[in-house]
């Protein structure tokens, strides 16, 4: 029984590794084909930034206030958009992430005059970022 379970785990791992290789190849292909009508961008949410922050131990006992930094970067240009907010404005769930992506897409649509525009977004497999429909 244990050996069968180990085989299943190994098969899942091997499948994951194969999909990772395919995904990276697809991303590299997209990156090489990017142009003014085909935009490739990656996005990620930085680790939570607690404030205040310092090297002095007294900061440990202060009330922590979390801030969030969501960044979208186009792979073929110097365009980078950062969306920064604190927990008083909202958490880091799918609604906030979706809003940031929407604002990024809105900015592109306002700056590019093309009916044939195609945009591909890459992100890690994080619930708030990737499981958002």
């Amino acid at each position: 029984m244990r050996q069968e379970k180990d085989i299943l785990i190994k098969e899942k791992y091997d499948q994951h590794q194969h999909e990772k290789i395919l995904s990276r190849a697809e991303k590299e292909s997209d990156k090489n084909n990017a142009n003014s009508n085909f935009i490739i961008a990656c996005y990620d949410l930085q680790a939570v930034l607690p404030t205040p922050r310092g090297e002095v131990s007294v900061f440990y006992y202060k009330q922590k206030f979390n801030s969030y930094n969501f960044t979208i970067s186009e792979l073929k240009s110097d365009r980078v958009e950062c969306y920064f907010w604190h927990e008083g404005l909202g958490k880091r769930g799918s609604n906030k992430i979706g809003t940031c992506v929407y604002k990024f897409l809105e900015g592109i649509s306002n700056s590019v005059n093309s009916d044939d525009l195609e945009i591909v977004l890459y992100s890690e497999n994080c619930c708030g970022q990737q499981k958002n429909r």
Side-chain angles (χ1 to χ4, degrees):
M1 186 70 158
R2 175 76 177 155
Q3 188 176 9
E4 291 174 13
K5 187 176 181 181
D6 289 344
I7 291 171
L8 286 174
I9 291 171
K10 173 84 168 99
E11 287 174 356
K12 284 184 176 181
Y13 175 78
D14 290 343
Q15 179 66 30
H16 173 75
Q17 292 300 316
H18 178 68
E19 290 173 0
K20 180 176 76 172
I21 290 167
L22 292 176
S23 178
R24 287 182 177 171
E26 185 71 22
K27 182 179 175 184
E28 190 62 31
S29 173
D30 285 345
K31 187 175 169 181
N32 291 334
N33 294 323
N35 58 45
S36 60
N37 291 337
F38 184 58
I39 296 173
I40 310 301
C42 294
Y43 62 83
D44 196 15
L45 183 67
Q46 184 179 358
V48 176
L49 306 166
T51 50
R53 183 175 172 192
E55 302 301 320
V56 180
S57 63
V58 72
F59 280 115
Y60 179 80
Y61 299 102
K62 299 290 183 190
Q63 178 73 27
K64 300 292 186 197
F65 192 70
N66 293 324
S67 298
Y68 310 104
N69 181 28
F70 182 79
T71 304
I72 301 178
S73 177
E74 287 184 36
L75 298 182
K76 278 290 195 175
S77 73
D78 292 335
R79 182 181 178 142
V80 176
E81 298 281 333
C82 293
Y83 302 90
F84 190 85
W85 69 96
H86 57 78
E87 67 184 346
L89 296 173
K91 298 295 182 188
R92 54 185 175 163
S94 59
N95 287 339
K96 290 294 181 189
I97 302 303
T99 300
C100 295
V101 172
Y102 177 80
K103 290 196 172 290
F104 175 76
L105 295 173
E106 187 177 52
I108 288 176
S109 70
N110 291 335
S111 66
V112 176
N113 294 327
S114 175
D115 294 332
D116 297 343
L117 183 62
E118 185 176 352
I119 301 171
V120 176
L121 298 170
Y122 285 93
S123 73
E124 63 183 26
N125 198 17
C126 175
C127 289
Q129 297 175 47
Q130 186 63 13
K131 307 299 186 204
N132 189 352
R133 299 270 182 232

